């Protein structure tokens, strides 16, 4: 679809490809303004946003918070009517959940170690502090609005939804996601609520907890009481699952514990999620200080260099979690730093290789014990196809057809006996026979097709499992170990030959 012309003042924007779409509008790159993007609102909300965006642009918020895509300039259409705004373009970033979820981290941030995660947490706290310093409140904290770069910098988008004040006029943030909404606002309509920095402090603490704790939500755990405990209710009841308070919740097995962090971080999480600190939750600058302290207290795990953890912790929490789940949380795909010295020719010993270094490089590659190919569950029982519905009704009619067949055949015999011409009676009898001995019902052929498909599916899964790369990796490892054994045998045979040669040479010389 062709986009309508857009202008900043009299300057026409050359609209490039669309880079995103949300519930409120679309975002495009601008060819003649590199480094900037324009967001245009959907017709339903464009008019109601104009005053807020003009206030944000006049307040020059974009100049005061470089990591936030605040409205920078107003964009209008060809008739000069408000259409949206120009903001900083955030490039080569990924949404925060791609970093905090172990499986997507391995895909999108394969080199990220735990120190990278702590640095990102620190940068999130910094950018929140930057927003709060402008007098804005984020309000709708969520995973799609926090973006991370490959160098651990953080940017916030969707800034036009922030709550902003312009003198006495306050433009509210009217939406929110329950996962990041503080207990006192759970279940309330956010349309008329004035959000505070303390509300943001709750959402910030949830974000930091999820990032530092491998995507665990602080209020998700096992409820020790009766019945279900939905996440929203657990938040409303301050049931922080990892707390030293009795919250009626226990964390899921094999997860982090607060004492895996520095005492300061543990204390900040307790405060952020406790009823006693409502109104005085740890602020973004407090988190910046504590995360800086955590960053300098990190030590490297002796078993995996991507594992870093607080020096005061008793053990590496990531090794513990990996043992519990049997799956790696961090995957080191960078093998360039495995240093195996080249072999060299030694006049006395022949070709010399550093076998222990080779063995430790080979054995140091962690190989998962299995790959399971799971067939994703179907969202709901599918409706029967038209053929299946017809087969079902025919199946129901089947016995009736058989009875009718017998009846028609008797009728034919009676007709013949009553003097109806033989050819006509034979025709009637043939029809009866067809009704009686119709070929197998379509239901059977559908069932056969179903069995065939199911068996094709399961043999494909077996084939995938059999040909999984693990087999290849294990085979390569076995080949490498065999080659090392062979080398050792050759080296020892070479030694024997050499001794033999030396003996002969000496004897010949003596002779
Ligand atoms: N400054 C930016 N730089 C790069 N991409 C952006 C930027 N702003 C938004 N996007 C992209 O556009 C998408 C939609 O943007 P945004 O979240 O601001 O829209 P929205 O209509 O307000 O959505 P929501 O309904 O979630 O509030 C984002 O998910 C992101 O992919
Ligand atoms: Mg929005």
């Amino acid at each position: 679809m062709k986009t309508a012309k857009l202008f900043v003042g009299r300057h026409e924007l050359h609209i490039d490809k669309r880079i995103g779409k949300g519930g409120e509008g679309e975002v495009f790159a601008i060819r003649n303004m590199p480094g900037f993007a324009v967001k245009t609102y959907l017709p339903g909300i464009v008019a109601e946003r104009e005053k807020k965006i003009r206030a944000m642009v006049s307040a020059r918020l974009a100049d005061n918070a470089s990591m936030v895509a605040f409205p920078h300039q107003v964009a209008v259409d060809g008739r000069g009517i408000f259409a949206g705004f120009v903001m900083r373009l955030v490039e080569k970033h990924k949404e925060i959940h791609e970093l905090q979820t172990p499986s997507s981290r391995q895909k999108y941030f394969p080199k990220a170690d735990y120190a990278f995660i702590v640095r990102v947490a620190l940068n999130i706290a910094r950018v929140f502090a930057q927003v709060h310093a402008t007098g804005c409140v984020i309000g709708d904290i969520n995973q799609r609005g926090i973006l991370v770069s490959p160098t651990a910098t953080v940017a916030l988008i969707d800034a036009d939804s922030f709550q902003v004040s312009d003198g006495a006029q306050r433009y509210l943030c009217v939406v929110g996601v329950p996962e990041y909404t503080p207990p006192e606002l759970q279940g309330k309509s956010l349309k008329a609520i004035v959000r505070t920095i303390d509300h943001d402090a709750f959402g910030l603490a949830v974000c930091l907890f999820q990032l530092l704790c491998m995507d665990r939500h602080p209020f998700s755990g096992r409820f020790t009481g009766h019945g279900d405990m939905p996440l929203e209710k657990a938040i409303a009841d301050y049931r922080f699952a990892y707390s030293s308070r009795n919250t009626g919740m226990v964390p899921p097995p094999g997860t982090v514990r607060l004492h895996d962090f520095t005492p300061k971080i543990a204390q900040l999480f307790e405060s952020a999620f406790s009823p006693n600190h409502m109104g005085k939750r740890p602020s973004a600058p407090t988190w910046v200080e504590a995360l800086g302290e955590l960053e300098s207290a990190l030590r490297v795990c002796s078993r995996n260099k991507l594992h870093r953890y607080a020096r005061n912790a008793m053990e590496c929490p990531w090794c513990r979690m990996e043992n519990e789940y049997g799956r790696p949380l961090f995957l080191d795909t960078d093998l360039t730093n495995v240093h195996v010295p080249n072999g060299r020719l030694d006049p006395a010993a022949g070709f010399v290789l550093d076998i222990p270094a080779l063995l430790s490089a080979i054995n140091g590659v962690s190989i998962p014990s299995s790959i399971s190919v799971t067939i994703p569950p179907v969202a709901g029982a599918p409706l029967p196809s038209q053929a299946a519905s017809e087969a079902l009704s025919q199946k129901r009619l089947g016995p009736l057809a058989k009875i009718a067949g017998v009846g028609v055949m008797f009728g034919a015999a009676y007709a013949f006996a009553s003097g109806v011409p033989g050819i006509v009676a034979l025709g009637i009898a043939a029809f009866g026979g067809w009704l009686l001995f119709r070929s197998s019902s379509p239901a059977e052929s559908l069932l056969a097709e179903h069995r065939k498909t199911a068996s094709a599916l399961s043999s494909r899964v077996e084939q995938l499992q059999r040909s999984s790369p693990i087999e290849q990796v294990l085979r390569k490892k076995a080949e490498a170990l065999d080659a090392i054994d062979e080398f050792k045998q050759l080296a020892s045979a070479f030694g024997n030959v050499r001794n033999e040669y030396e003996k002969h040479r000496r004897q010949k010389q003596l002779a």
Side-chain angles (χ1 to χ4, degrees):
M1 198 181 75
K2 196 158 163 29
T3 334
K5 286 189 172 189
L6 289 172
F7 298 81
V8 164
R10 293 165 151 269
H11 176 69
E12 183 178 350
L13 304 179
H14 296 168
I15 302 303
D16 204 344
K17 63 177 190 313
R18 188 174 83 177
I19 49 179
K21 183 177 180 342
E24 302 187 316
E26 296 177 295
V27 178
F28 301 89
I30 313 172
R31 226 172 306 124
N32 56 344
M33 275 182 86
F36 288 90
V38 61
K39 178 167 177 176
T40 54
Y41 287 111
L42 296 177
I45 61 160
V46 63
E48 117 204 7
R49 279 303 168 94
E50 177 167 4
K51 272 194 183 158
K52 180 180 187 180
I53 300 306
R54 288 194 185 277
M56 288 177 112
V57 170
S58 311
R60 304 181 70 89
L61 296 169
D63 299 346
N64 297 324
S66 56
M67 307 307 284
V68 186
F70 270 125
H72 178 62
Q73 281 166 310
V74 168
V76 295
D77 66 14
R79 293 164 299 160
I81 295 173
F82 174 79
F85 63 88
V86 168
M87 63 183 150
R88 177 196 153 196
L89 170 68
V90 182
E91 279 179 299
K92 300 192 179 76
H93 282 54
K94 289 266 174 270
E95 292 173 8
I96 183 75
H97 56 91
E98 307 285 24
L99 172 67
Q100 80 198 22
T101 314
S103 53
S104 57
R105 175 167 62 242
Q106 288 159 14
K107 186 169 169 197
Y108 296 113
F109 295 90
K111 295 204 167 86
D113 58 10
Y114 196 71
F116 183 93
I117 290 180
V118 173
R119 174 54 65 92
V120 171
L122 181 58
N123 286 338
I124 291 178
R126 280 189 183 131
V127 74
F128 269 60
Q130 223 179 39
V131 172
H132 292 162
T134 65
C136 293
V137 177
I138 297 171
D140 180 20
I141 295 171
N142 71 75
Q143 303 253 309
R144 291 187 55 222
I146 305 175
L147 306 184
V148 185
S149 79
T151 55
T153 56
V154 169
L156 298 188
I157 56 166
D158 202 18
D160 53 314
S161 76
F162 294 1
Q163 175 178 288
V164 57
S165 300
D166 178 21
Q169 176 71 48
R170 194 183 265 130
Y171 300 96
L172 300 180
C173 171
V174 295
V175 280
V177 177
E179 259 178 288
Y180 303 94
T181 302
E184 63 273 24
L185 300 186
Q186 284 290 330
K188 292 198 176 151
S189 160
L190 299 170
K191 286 210 161 58
I193 288 184
V194 175
R195 313 286 264 275
T196 65
I197 286 177
D198 193 59
H199 295 151
D200 270 6
F202 179 86
L204 169 63
V206 174
C207 269
L208 296 175
F209 190 93
Q210 287 181 311
L211 182 57
L212 294 177
C213 302
M214 306 291 136
D215 200 32
R216 301 286 164 178
H217 192 283
F219 291 81
S220 145
R222 190 169 59 79
F223 179 45
T224 54
H226 295 294
D228 284 348
M229 179 50 66
L231 188 67
E232 284 93 327
K233 175 139 176 50
I235 296 176
D237 294 350
Y238 292 91
R239 294 181 189 276
F240 175 33
Y242 299 75
S243 181
S244 58
R245 289 182 287 127
N246 180 7
T247 59
M249 298 279 277
V250 287
T255 47
V256 274
R257 295 161 199 159
L258 285 189
H259 58 243
D260 292 326
F261 299 107
T262 55
K264 182 79 191 163
I265 295 281
Q267 182 222 320
L268 293 188
F269 279 132
E270 288 279 21
S271 308
F273 302 137
S274 138
N276 302 330
H277 285 76
M278 195 185 101
K280 43 184 192 309
R281 295 184 175 110
S283 66
T286 307
W287 278 109
V288 171
E289 199 186 319
L291 288 163
E293 192 187 289
L294 173 64
E295 188 172 53
S296 47
L298 289 179
R299 68 161 153 183
V300 186
C301 164
S302 57
R303 272 167 293 187
N304 185 332
K305 69 179 168 42
L306 297 183
H307 291 184
R308 313 274 165 115
Y309 60 101
R311 201 161 282 135
N312 57 284
M314 306 278 282
E315 57 179 345
C316 172
W318 320 125
C319 283
R320 194 179 67 223
M321 279 180 81
E322 285 182 350
N323 286 340
E324 187 85 20
Y325 291 108
R327 255 190 291 158
L329 295 171
F330 297 87
L331 202 58
D332 188 2
T333 51
D334 179 13
L335 297 177
T336 51
N337 52 3
V338 175
H339 178 65
V340 181
N342 285 333
R344 65 188 160 79
L345 264 179
D346 181 297
F351 190 69
V352 181
L353 263 181
D354 188 347
I355 300 289
L358 259 179
L359 283 175
S360 88
I362 293 168
N363 292 324
V365 178
S366 66
I367 305 171
S369 54
S370 67
I371 285 182
S372 56
V373 181
T374 43
I375 302 173
V378 187
L383 288 173
S385 66
Q386 197 187 349
S389 307
E390 280 167 11
L392 188 67
S393 60
Q394 282 205 17
K395 202 173 152 208
R396 288 200 189 111
L397 288 174
L400 281 179
K402 285 197 171 32
I403 294 167
V406 173
V408 170
M409 283 175 83
F410 271 116
Y414 178 75
F416 185 63
S418 324
V420 171
I423 185 80
V424 177
L426 205 63
I428 298 173
F431 175 64
W434 177 78
L435 280 175
L436 187 59
F437 301 109
R438 276 182 321 157
S439 63
S440 63
S441 75
E444 271 155 34
S445 69
L446 281 172
L447 265 179
E449 199 185 321
H450 168 79
R451 283 191 207 102
K452 204 171 116 203
T453 313
S455 113
L457 188 65
S458 68
S459 65
R460 182 80 184 112
V461 166
E462 271 169 32
Q463 187 202 351
L464 276 173
Q465 260 157 358
R466 260 199 321 274
S467 59
S468 72
I470 293 181
E471 293 290 321
Q472 295 169 33
V473 174
L474 289 174
R475 250 196 323 271
K476 275 280 166 237
K477 181 174 174 177
E479 277 171 30
L481 293 176
D482 283 351
I484 288 177
D485 273 347
E486 196 185 339
F487 176 82
K488 281 190 197 157
Q489 281 167 17
L490 285 171
S492 124
F494 174 81
N496 293 339
V497 169
R498 197 181 164 77
N499 287 342
E500 206 52 22
Y501 164 77
E502 286 294 336
K503 213 163 79 191
H504 284 305
R505 188 174 64 109
R506 189 171 150 70
Q507 272 169 0
K508 284 208 169 136
Q509 278 175 344
L510 284 175

